[in-house]
Amino acid sequence: MKRIGGFLPLLLAAFASVLAPAAHAAAAEGPSLWLAALKMVLALALILAILFALSHYSKRYLERFSKARNSGKSVSILEIRQTGPKTQVMVMEAFGAKYLLGVTPTNISVIDKIPSGGTDENE
């Protein structure tokens, strides 16, 4: 975050230095298509850079938050697959044992207990 905090004022100063002479030139000569395109590209680049930085730092923060929240929990959902509009099959681990569950809007049922190796014993 410190890198962006130090870089952002320089970027804004460069953007302002491009716009200031352009405003005086535009008043004297009239609007320039190239200058308008340059302003648009610089503004787009600035917005995309800010969005990229926010995305990067929010991902890092959310990863840390979810790891801290799930540490030390004895029940966790390992995987969820949709089987219909309102039905799911989920793999859940509770107290060291894994279960395959069928989930509907009105019912949750245990389909099978998964062996500790995670493979099917019939194959």
Side-chain angles (χ1 to χ4, degrees):
M1 190 74 170
K2 291 179 182 177
R3 283 189 259 163
I4 292 177
F7 181 68
L8 191 58
L10 294 175
L11 187 61
L12 291 174
F15 188 65
S17 68
V18 168
L19 294 180
H24 296 302
E29 299 174 5
S32 169
L33 183 62
W34 289 106
L35 185 60
L38 179 65
K39 283 186 210 179
M40 182 182 68
V41 168
L42 287 175
L44 180 62
L46 178 66
I47 290 170
L48 289 176
I50 290 171
L51 286 175
F52 177 74
L54 289 174
S55 170
H56 175 72
Y57 286 108
S58 67
K59 283 181 187 177
R60 287 181 54 199
Y61 173 75
L62 290 175
E63 284 176 3
R64 264 190 271 144
F65 179 71
S66 68
K67 286 179 185 175
R69 197 176 97 200
N70 288 334
S71 65
K73 300 285 183 173
S74 56
V75 176
S76 62
I77 296 173
L78 303 177
E79 192 168 345
I80 299 174
R81 296 286 182 210
Q82 295 287 348
T83 56
K86 294 185 178 182
T87 59
Q88 303 170 347
V89 174
M90 92 175 38
V91 178
M92 172 183 168
E93 183 176 17
F95 304 105
K98 293 181 183 177
Y99 299 95
L100 182 64
L101 304 175
V103 181
T104 65
T106 59
N107 192 15
I108 297 175
S109 58
V110 178
I111 297 173
D112 196 11
K113 181 176 178 180
I114 300 173
S116 61
T119 60
D120 191 7
E121 293 176 349
N122 296 333
E123 291 181 13

